Amino acid sequence: MTDAPASAPPAYAVVVPTIGRPCLADCLRALAAATGHPPTEVVVVDDRPDPAGKLPLEAAGDLRGRVRTLRSGGRGPAAARNTGWRTVTAPWTVFLDDDVQVLPDWSRRLAEDLAAADAVTGGIQGRLTVPLPTDRRPTDWERGTAGLEQAAWATADMAYRTAALAQVHGFDERFPRAFREDADLALRVRDAGWTLRHGRRTTRHPVRPADRWVSVRAQRGNADDALMTRLHGRDWWTRAQAPRGRLARHTLVTAGALVAAGCALTGRPRAAGGAGALWALGTAEFALARIGPGPRTAHEIATMLATSVVIPPLAVRHWLDGLIRHRRAAQLGSMP
């Protein structure tokens, strides 16, 4: 008697949202170089508000014939991914960001991940690795990107059963940035009775270039945290395995600045001095916490000092804006 042939691993499609960054070519090139279990199709979703110029689809090499493009109108990565997966017929949809590069054994490892999934496995996360400089300490931005290595259910490389995505209505498009939309989806998939687990495949996530104010713009994500609290309750941080951040400290530091200004205007110099000292100490602690692990160059120190002053009030402002804007928000699927 001969052994029965092993069943083929499940088919999958890859969905890549993009805003036309040059790194898309590297993403597609790496995907084409991964051998073992190629995707049935690669859906590139062009999320540029006004697409100008062609996307570098030729980088897909041997997969070029399986690549198709869609447009999502500049509505953000959540909407772009929804535009993509809703056209997928394969049983699994794998989301990749356009700034990642899968490793050469990725598709073979993915086949193993999918084959090992039981009937209630709704999603399987790939491992992310962030290359950091070897000749110096990483900058604040580089350390922040490296945090993706511990991020839970990050859609930089995340496979979901297409049926699970349909059951929970996909991504919530009220998350306009590449922030928290993946955690929200993971919690809803779990609430629907599916399980999520970690896979064996690995994907490289280089640190993209950024200017010195990138950490200031990132504070907009506090509005998304407010939406998460409204949708999933105050314990969502624990269930989503997300770090709490420094919002509580930022609130205290900002309050110190406001009290100091108020007391100075109303002629209470002693109270103003005490509140001002609280603000100064809090700001200094924040700056030193960011400068210490870094390369400590003049540019990095100046950037950390300047941004450490403006980040706390901006973080609080965006949090309050999110609380107000999403005060009547309901979970996706439960809205009237």
Side-chain angles (χ1 to χ4, degrees):
M1 294 180 61
T2 60
D3 294 334
S7 58
Y12 69 97
V14 171
V15 172
V16 184
T18 185
I19 53 174
R21 297 184 293 187
C23 56
L24 174 62
D26 295 327
C27 176
L28 294 176
R29 193 174 294 112
L31 185 61
T35 59
H37 184 45
T40 58
E41 61 177 346
V42 179
V43 185
V44 176
V45 185
D46 188 346
D47 195 46
R48 292 177 292 179
D50 185 17
K54 295 182 178 180
L55 297 174
L57 303 182
E58 298 305 322
D62 293 341
L63 291 179
R64 180 65 183 90
R66 304 187 186 195
V67 176
R68 58 187 176 90
T69 58
L70 301 171
R71 292 182 178 177
S72 51
R75 295 180 291 128
R81 294 191 192 104
N82 281 342
T83 298
W85 77 259
R86 285 172 178 157
T87 69
V88 167
T89 58
W92 286 88
T93 300
V94 181
F95 296 106
L96 294 176
D97 285 349
D98 69 352
D99 57 352
V100 304
Q101 300 158 15
V102 302
L103 297 191
D105 66 348
W106 181 85
S107 61
R108 178 173 59 83
R109 294 289 189 182
L110 174 63
E112 296 170 357
D113 290 343
L114 300 183
D118 60 25
V120 296
T121 299
I124 309 171
Q125 182 180 8
R127 300 174 181 176
L128 297 177
T129 178
V130 178
L132 293 176
T134 58
D135 59 341
R136 59 168 173 79
R137 294 181 177 186
T139 64
D140 180 69
W141 171 241
E142 290 166 342
R143 295 195 306 275
T145 303
L148 289 170
E149 293 183 343
Q150 283 76 47
W153 324 127
T155 39
D157 179 356
M158 186 73 191
Y160 275 106
R161 284 192 191 272
T162 308
L165 293 170
Q167 182 179 350
V168 302
H169 309 284
F171 291 88
D172 190 331
E173 297 178 15
R174 289 171 294 183
F175 292 92
R177 289 164 284 276
F179 191 70
R180 302 305 189 207
E181 86 291 356
D182 46 7
D184 167 75
L185 176 63
L187 290 180
R188 288 187 287 110
V189 167
R190 279 181 159 175
D191 289 345
W194 299 94
T195 62
L196 303 177
R197 66 178 185 82
H198 295 276
R200 299 179 60 192
R201 66 192 188 278
T202 300
T203 292
R204 184 174 179 265
H205 193 304
V207 179
R208 70 175 185 270
D211 61 61
R212 70 192 313 169
W213 302 108
V214 64
S215 60
V216 173
R217 293 192 298 275
Q219 300 314 307
R220 298 169 185 166
N222 285 282
D224 303 315
D225 284 348
L227 177 56
M228 286 292 291
T229 301
R230 182 68 184 87
L231 298 178
H232 299 286
R234 295 184 181 277
D235 67 338
W236 73 265
W237 304 89
T238 301
R239 291 186 290 123
Q241 302 173 44
R244 286 301 301 261
R246 297 179 64 104
L247 183 64
R249 295 187 187 185
H250 290 337
T251 302
L252 184 61
V253 169
T254 302
L258 293 175
V259 170
C263 289
L265 290 173
T266 56
R268 291 181 287 173
R270 182 172 298 180
L278 173 64
W279 169 83
L281 288 172
T283 301
E285 183 275 331
F286 182 37
L288 290 173
R290 302 169 71 205
I291 292 171
R296 305 178 193 175
T297 62
H299 181 274
E300 178 76 357
I301 291 173
T303 298
M304 295 301 98
L305 291 174
T307 56
S308 294
V309 171
V310 298
I311 282 176
L314 279 178
V316 174
R317 173 197 162 189
H318 286 300
W319 170 262
L320 293 174
D321 178 65
L323 289 178
I324 295 169
R325 191 189 331 149
H326 302 300
R327 62 188 180 279
R328 295 187 179 91
Q331 266 205 35
L332 194 65
S334 63
M335 296 179 288

